[in-house]
C-alpha cells in the first residue's frame, strides 16, 4: 500500500524565506503515528532531514547533536509529559522551536507557551495542515489550533483543580502523582481534562 503524501500549499504559509530547508524532529511513542509523521514530513521538499525519537532521552540526544529547527512533540509520551520534554529541548537548544501535538489531550495556549512551545495542534488535522504548521513553527511563527470555549465544557472536579494548582506551582506530573497519591497515568488524565 502506497500512501499519497500531500505537499504543503504554499499559499497557506507566508514564510518569505524562500527555499529554506528545515531539520525536523518527531517525538512520539505511538508506532503508527511516529512512522506516519516521519514519512509525511520526510517527503516535504522543504525538509532537509527528518529525525525521530520515541522518548525524551532519545529526543535530547538528537537535539544536542542535530539542533533541529523544529521539534514536533506529542503531548503525552509514555509516562513523560510533552510539556516537560518541550522545556528540556528549549534548554538544550533555544533556537529549536517546538510544536506540540495530541490526538486526545489538550493544553491551553498559555500553558504551551509557558513550557516554551510555539504552538499546539491536533492529530485530527489533515496531513497538509500538520505539515504546514510544522513548517510555520520551524520558520519562527506560532500556530495554535482553535480551542473550544472553556464555558462550553464541564467544570473541573475538585481533584482536577488540585492537579491544576500543582501544575501552576511548577510541579511535574511525577511530583503531582506522589503528592496526591495517584498514578502518573491518572495525573495525565486529569491534566487532559
Amino acid at each position: 500500500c502506497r500512501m499519497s503524501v500531500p505537499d504543503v500549499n504554499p499559499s497557506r504559509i507566508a514564510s518569505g524565506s524562500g527555499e529554506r530547508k528545515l531539520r525536523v524532529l518527531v517525538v512520539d511513542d505511538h508506532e503508527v503515528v511516529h512512522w506516519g509523521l516521519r514519512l509525511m514530513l520526510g517527503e516535504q521538499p522543504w525538509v532537509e532531514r527528518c529525525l525521530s525519537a520515541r522518548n525524551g532521552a532519545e529526543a535530547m540526544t538528537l537535539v544536542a547533536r542535530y539542533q533541529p529547527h523544529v521539534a514536533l512533540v506529542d503531548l503525552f509520551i509514555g509516562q513523560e509529559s510533552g510539556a516537560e520534554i518541550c522545556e528540556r529541548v528549549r534548554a538544550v537548544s533555544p533556537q529549536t522551536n517546538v510544536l506540540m501535538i495530541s490526538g486526545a489531550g489538550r493544553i491551553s495556549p498559555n500553558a504551551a507557551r509557558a513550557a516554551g512551545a510555539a504552538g499546539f495542534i491536533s492529530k485530527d488535522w489533515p496531513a497538509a495542515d500538520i505539515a504546514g504548521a510544522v513548517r510555520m513553527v520551524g520558520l519562527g511563527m506560532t500556530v495554535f489550533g482553535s480551542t473550544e470555549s472553556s464555558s462550553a465544557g464541564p467544570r473541573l472536579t475538585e481533584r482536577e483543580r488540585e492537579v491544576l494548582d500543582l501544575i501552576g506551582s511548577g510541579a511535574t506530573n511525577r511530583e503531582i502523582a506522589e503528592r496526591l497519591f495517584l498514578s502518573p497515568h491518572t495525573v495525565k488524565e486529569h491534566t487532559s481534562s
Side-chain angles (χ1 to χ4, degrees), residues 8 58 80 93 96 103-104 154 172:
V8 175
E58 287 179 15
E80 297 177 276
S93 179
T96 299
T172 65

Side-chain angles (χ1 to χ4, degrees), residues 29 34 59 77 90 125 160 192:
D29 63 335
H34 182 92
I77 301 171
R90 299 283 295 157
W125 283 21
E160 289 167 344
S192 294

Side-chain angles (χ1 to χ4, degrees), residues 20-37:
R20 182 171 179 205
K21 299 275 188 172
L22 302 176
R23 287 181 307 279
V24 178
L25 171 63
V26 174
V27 185
D28 198 299
D29 63 335
H30 294 98
E31 184 67 29
V32 172
V33 174
H34 182 92
W35 178 83
L37 288 170

Side-chain angles (χ1 to χ4, degrees), residues 73-97:
V73 179
D74 191 10
L75 188 57
F76 300 115
I77 301 171
Q79 297 296 318
E80 297 177 276
S81 159
E84 291 171 8
I85 292 172
C86 175
E87 290 174 346
R88 293 191 343 240
V89 165
R90 299 283 295 157
V92 169
S93 179
Q95 70 277 9
T96 299
N97 297 314

Side-chain angles (χ1 to χ4, degrees), residues 2 14 31 37 40 46 54 83 90 130 137 148 152 183 193:
R2 188 159 167 46
E31 184 67 29
L37 288 170
M40 175 192 63
W46 46 267
R54 288 177 176 29
R90 299 283 295 157
I130 291 173
V137 168
E148 300 84 26
S183 75
S193 297

Side-chain angles (χ1 to χ4, degrees), residues 8-173:
V8 175
N9 182 344
S11 66
R12 287 185 170 169
I13 302 170
S15 68
S17 66
E19 297 295 317
R20 182 171 179 205
K21 299 275 188 172
L22 302 176
R23 287 181 307 279
V24 178
L25 171 63
V26 174
V27 185
D28 198 299
D29 63 335
H30 294 98
E31 184 67 29
V32 172
V33 174
H34 182 92
W35 178 83
L37 288 170
R38 188 166 181 208
L39 176 66
M40 175 192 63
L41 292 168
E43 292 290 321
Q44 301 303 316
W46 46 267
V47 173
E48 172 187 315
R49 174 178 233 159
C50 189
L51 307 158
S52 63
R54 288 177 176 29
N55 59 51
E58 287 179 15
M60 298 320 301
T61 299
L62 293 171
V63 166
R65 182 171 180 188
Y66 295 102
Q67 308 227 330
H69 297 99
V70 61
L72 181 62
V73 179
D74 191 10
L75 188 57
F76 300 115
I77 301 171
Q79 297 296 318
E80 297 177 276
S81 159
E84 291 171 8
I85 292 172
C86 175
E87 290 174 346
R88 293 191 343 240
V89 165
R90 299 283 295 157
V92 169
S93 179
Q95 70 277 9
T96 299
N97 297 314
V98 177
L99 176 61
M100 295 178 67
I101 188 168
S102 182
R106 298 286 177 259
I107 187 171
S108 74
N110 288 340
R113 284 185 183 101
F120 174 78
I121 61 172
S122 172
K123 289 180 182 177
D124 295 336
W125 283 21
D129 292 344
I130 291 173
V134 170
R135 184 172 185 204
M136 290 173 71
V137 168
L139 294 172
M141 294 176 247
T142 59
V143 178
F144 289 92
S146 63
T147 58
E148 300 84 26
S149 168
S150 59
S151 63
R155 293 214 176 265
L156 295 177
T157 66
E158 187 167 331
R159 180 61 88 181
E160 289 167 344
R161 285 191 186 283
E162 289 175 315
V163 170
L164 182 61
D165 288 342
L166 289 169
I167 290 170
S169 74
T172 65
N173 283 357

